C-alpha cells in the first residue's frame, strides 16, 4: 500500500524571482535557513524551516510571481525504491527518469515525481541517511 511508505510533507518547492529577497522575507516571518546547496547546473537552493514547514527556494524568475507558483509538493518517504514500484503498479504517471538523485543534504536525496490532476508535481523524496545509503545496500 502506497501510504505505508509516506510519513508526511517534506517540503514545498517555491521558485523565487530574487532568492535573497525571498530568504529575507521568510526569515522575517520566523523561518531559518537549515540547508544551502546548488543544483548540478549551479543554481543556488536554500531550504528554510519554521516548525515542521520546510520551503525549498531557488531563483527562477520565469515562473516566480505567478499565481499559484508552487513548483512541487514533496512527500517524505521511506524506501523510495519499493514505493516507486507501488506507485507504478497503481498506474500513476512517472514524470521523472525513474528514480533520480541530487546532492542535497549531507548524503543526497533519491526521488521521483508524478503529476497531479491539475498539473502539479508531487515528489516522493527520501533523504539518504548515514546508516542507509543506496550505495551500501
Amino acid at each position: 500500500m502506497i501510504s505505508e511508505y509516506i510519513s508526511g510533507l517534506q517540503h514545498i518547492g517555491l521558485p523565487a524571482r530574487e532568492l535573497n529577497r525571498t530568504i529575507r522575507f521568510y526569515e522575517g516571518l520566523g523561518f531559518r535557513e537549515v540547508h544551502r546547496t546548488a543544483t548540478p547546473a549551479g543554481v543556488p537552493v536554500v531550504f528554510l524551516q519554521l516548525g515542521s514547514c520546510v520551503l525549498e527556494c531557488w531563483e527562477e524568475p520565469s515562473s516566480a510571481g505567478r499565481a499559484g507558483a508552487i513548483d512541487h509538493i514533496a512527500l517524505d518517504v521511506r524506501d523510495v525504491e519499493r514505493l516507486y514500484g507501488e506507485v507504478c503498479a497503481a498506474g500513476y504517471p512517472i514524470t521523472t527518469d525513474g528514480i533520480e538523485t541530487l546532492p542535497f543534504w549531507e548524503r543526497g536525496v533519491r526521488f521521483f515525481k508524478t503529476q497531479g490532476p491539475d498539473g502539479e508535481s508531487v515528489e516522493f523524496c527520501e533523504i539518504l541517511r548515514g546508516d542507509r545509503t543506496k550505495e551500501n545496500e
Side-chain angles (χ1 to χ4, degrees):
M1 178 178 249
I2 291 173
S3 64
E4 71 186 59
Y5 296 99
I6 301 171
S7 60
L9 180 66
Q10 187 180 92
H11 67 266
I12 299 169
L14 183 65
R17 198 173 289 148
E18 293 177 33
L19 185 58
N20 289 329
R21 184 177 71 173
T22 296
I23 293 168
R24 286 191 307 273
F25 175 84
Y26 283 101
E27 284 179 338
L29 296 176
F31 283 78
R32 63 182 178 83
E33 185 177 316
V34 293
H35 186 66
R36 184 178 287 258
T37 189
T39 67
V43 176
V45 178
V46 174
F47 288 83
L48 303 167
Q49 183 172 4
L50 176 62
S52 63
C53 181
V54 177
L55 302 176
E56 175 192 11
C57 304
W58 68 96
E59 200 159 303
E60 188 176 313
S62 62
S63 61
R66 293 184 182 168
I70 293 173
D71 179 73
H72 63 278
I73 299 167
L75 301 174
D76 198 24
V77 305
R78 299 177 299 279
D79 201 337
V80 71
E81 289 182 8
R82 286 190 180 173
L83 176 60
Y84 181 79
E86 294 276 345
V87 170
C88 288
Y92 288 92
I94 304 301
T95 59
T96 52
D97 188 19
I99 298 171
E100 299 185 12
T101 61
L102 282 171
F104 292 0
W105 302 103
E106 186 177 324
R107 301 208 183 258
V109 298
R110 298 187 76 219
F111 70 96
F112 67 94
K113 293 180 182 179
T114 188
Q115 189 172 43
D118 293 312
E120 70 277 12
S121 285
V122 178
E123 178 180 309
F124 301 94
C125 188
E126 180 178 10
I127 296 175
L128 301 177
R129 309 284 183 208
D131 60 335
R132 184 186 160 122
T133 60
K134 297 301 175 184
E135 297 83 52
N136 295 332
E137 291 185 350

